[in-house]
Structures are given as structure tokens and as C-alpha cells.
Amino acid sequence: MKNYYEATANNHRNHSTLISSVKTDICVVGAGFTGLGCALELRLRGYNVVVLEAQNVGYGASGRSGGQIASGYSSGMIETSDIVGLSDSKKLWAFSERSKQILRNRIETYGISCDLQVGEYYAAPKERHLSWLKEEQAFCETHYNYDGYEWAGKTRMREVLAGDRYLGALYDREGGHLHPLNYTLGLADAFTKLGGRIYENSSVVNYTDEGIIHVNTTNGRVCAKTLVLAGNAYLSGVERFLQRRMIPAKSSQIATEPLGAERAKALMNTSACVADTNFDLDYFKMTSDTRLVYGGQDISFRRSSSNNSPIRKNMLKTFPMLTDVKIEFLWEGLVAANARRLPDVGRIGNNVYYAHGYSGQGVCLSAVVSEILAEAICGELEHFEVFNRIPHITFPANKLVQTPLYYTMMLWQRLKDALP
Ligand SMILES: Cc1cc2nc3c(=O)[nH]c(=O)nc-3n(C[C@H](O)[C@H](O)[C@H](O)COP(=O)(O)OP(=O)(O)OC[C@H]3O[C@@H](n4cnc5c(N)ncnc54)[C@H](O)[C@@H]3O)c2cc1C
């Protein structure tokens, strides 16, 4: 069954499978925001670029995400500053600002029709989260001169959302949301119109780097000078070094039947999206065809149906008045999570670059990361080094250790979320 975004995707072209051996300057693995963004930037700089995609464009997190655009980083800026120091945190903040600009420029320049909407509420379900949000706002205003945040108290939350789950929120005027698959398809279209090549259903099995890089797919091979690994949580066994640097975490979403304009407005009197401040967060938005799309981390082992999905239960916690509403779509995807909740951007040897681990905030951040990867490949390393020196924490690559570690951590976080 198609997910909501596949069911509402713009017309697009399919790409052939690689069944021969091709030569190129740069080979990119993964046709998501990062891979396609980087491929586009490199093509604009005159390189020959081939993108290899195991499934189809947007198959990974990019095409199935919540599409929410947020300022800053998943860890929050106070924590980011604790990790990298204030000086580098200012650079990271400037990147995230640039990212919003790149995203909007791409949509405008390439005429990508992806239902871009403005505004994001970062909403607190707990009293103690309110003070943390206020501290974040003050921190961003003081250290980064950010004036895009606006405080939304309880009264405003009651005007904007039905139900009384959220006690207040930080409203980000520069946040927003989009149709993530249509944005991804638009990037692919822009790249191929500039002469770039994409091969779909062309899974990379392994690669060798002996000066020239040979990238082997199930039925073909690409020889390139430079390789970009942008397979994110879906890359699995291709590069063991990366398996130690992030854990694939399941996030699921549901989309309701169309609610009709009146009911949709009574539920969410805003075109902005909402993400909450729990570690195990809920995120949601109303689509232009009046469906509520609601998502969250999903640590259940069993396959759920739309009716017994834990995400539906979460939705009813926020909007108890929706018990009668049919869930028409349920889908899941993998988020690349790491302990720092900051993007992991780096290089293996001299010619293999990678970026992953946005920890749930890659819709926006992937734009600047893709630009920074392209700069680095062209020899401009200043911005790349800022990401490269983030002190990431590694995990055991073995799934038998990684999976219980992740579940223990999530259960612990859930316990903390449950505290008043
Ligand atoms: C359900 C869900 C909701 C999310 N919601 C949000 C949100 O609202 N806001 C936000 O900022 N972030 C969100 N995220 C995270 C965000 O979607 C990601 O950070 C972002 O899409 C990462 O893009 P990417 O291009 O790096 O990776 P991906 O989009 O995952 O792309 C990787 C691609 O590489 C391909 N690939 C992997 N291995 C191989 C191989 N061996 N050979 C060839 N191809 C390969 C995959 O098939 C895939 O298409 C969400 C993620 C999920 C799963």
C-alpha cells in the first residue's frame, strides 16, 4: 500500500537500473535530500555526477518524513553549545540559518511544487518543558541574535489547537513544512535537467578505494574519483565505519481521512506544524487536503494496523475528539539517530565523504550539509571542518548489541517523558 506522500506525488519520471559499467567524476549513493542536494550542487559546479539509488528517488527517510522544517538542531542549542563550545555553536547556528535559505531558494529556482507552508510550534506538554523552551529562546536571541522565535502561551495554544495537551510553545516564524516526497522528486528533476544521471533499483553492494573508486551495484559498476555515501539509516552493510556512528530508529506516521475544511480548522487553526518537546516526540500537521498527518517514534516490535497503531493512540491523546475518524494511511521509516543528535559529516580516507545522523532534523539541515559536502569535494574545507570536529560517540556495530541498547535508551527516555 502506498503511503500518503506516494499517493499524492507529483508526476515524475522513473530512472533506469544500472546494468553496465560507467565512469564519472563523482558517485553519490542515495537519492534522498542529502544525496540529491549534493549531486545538484556538484553538477552546478560542472562535475559529472552519478546517483545510485537502491529503490527509487525519495524511498528513504526523505520521501516519507514529516516534512517539518525547524531552526537549529535536534539537540537544542544550549546542549549543542555544551558539546561543541559557544564559538562552533555560532557557526552551526549560521549553517542552520543558511539551510532554510537554500531550501527555499531551491524550491523557488527549480519551481518545485511541494506545498511549502510557514511556521512551526515547538510545543510543551509538561510544565518543566516550558522553562526549558524559554531558556532556549533566550539563548538563541542572546548568542545568535535570532528573532524568529515568538512565545505562545496557553491562551494562544487553545486558539490554535483543539484539546488541552499543550501548555505553551515556542513558535518559529521561520519554521514550516512541505510535502517531502514532492520536494525530493523536484531535486531529482532539477539534477537530471542539468545533465546529472540517476539509476534507480541499483543497490550498492560494496566499494573499493584504490585511488580510483569502484562502486559495485547488483548489476553494474561505477568508477569514480570521489564517492559520497548518503544512504543514511538505510545504508546498512556498505560501510561498517558508519554503522558504528548511528542507530536506525523507527518513526511511524498516520494520515486521517480528509476532515473537511470546517473540522480541520476547528482542530488546527493554523497552517503551521507542531512538534512537541518530549524526547519521544509527537509531530503533526494538517495537509492542504485537510488530513491530519501525525507521527512519532515507534518502538513496538509487532506490525501494527492503522487502528491499533501506537501513533493513533498518541493522536487521540492530543486530539481525543478524533475517535470516529478513519485512518487511511500508515507508514514507517528509519531515522538515523546518534547520541549527540547532531549531523555527522566526515570523510573516510581522501575521497569518500559521508553525511547522516540528522536525528530527526534532516529536512532542513540536509540542504546546508549537501552544500558543505560539495564545497569540501571542491577543496573548500572550512565549513566541513566545523561539522567534522563534532565529538560524536560511537556504538558497537553489531545489531545484537545495538538494538537492545537503543531500546533501553528509548524506554529510559519514555520514563523521563512520563514524569510530571
Ligand atoms: C518517519 C520519519 C519522519 C521524519 N520527520 C522529519 C521531520 O518532520 N523533519 C525533519 O527535519 N526530519 C524528519 N525526519 C528525518 C529526515 O527525513 C532525514 O533526516 C532526511 O530525510 C535524511 O535524508 P538523507 O538523504 O540523508 O537520507 P534518506 O532520505 O534516508 O536517503 C537515503 C537513500 O539512500 C538509499 N540507499 C541506502 N543504501 C543504499 C545502497 N546500498 N545503495 C543505493 N542506495 C542506497 C536509500 O534507499 C534512500 O533512498 C523524519 C524521518 C522519518 C523516517
Side-chain angles (χ1 to χ4, degrees), residues 221-232:
R221 168 182 271 198
V222 178
C223 304
K225 292 180 203 119
T226 305
L227 175 63
V228 178
L229 295 173
N232 203 35

Side-chain angles (χ1 to χ4, degrees), residues 16-20 22 52 199-202 217 219-222:
S16 57
T17 301
L18 182 69
I19 48 166
S20 59
V22 297
L52 296 173
Y199 293 97
E200 291 180 316
N201 300 305
S202 302
T217 68
N219 299 302
R221 168 182 271 198
V222 178

Side-chain angles (χ1 to χ4, degrees), residues 29-35 52-56 58-62 64-68 202-204 230-235 238 251-253 283 333-335 355 358 360-364:
V29 180
F33 302 143
T34 307
L52 296 173
E53 167 54 50
Q55 308 284 337
N56 42 272
Y59 171 84
S62 298
R64 58 182 72 231
S65 76
Q68 300 202 357
S202 302
S203 183
V204 172
N232 203 35
Y234 293 82
L235 192 65
V238 174
S251 188
S252 297
Q253 288 182 86
Y283 52 93
L334 294 177
V335 174
Y358 301 98
Q361 212 149 315
V363 172
C364 184

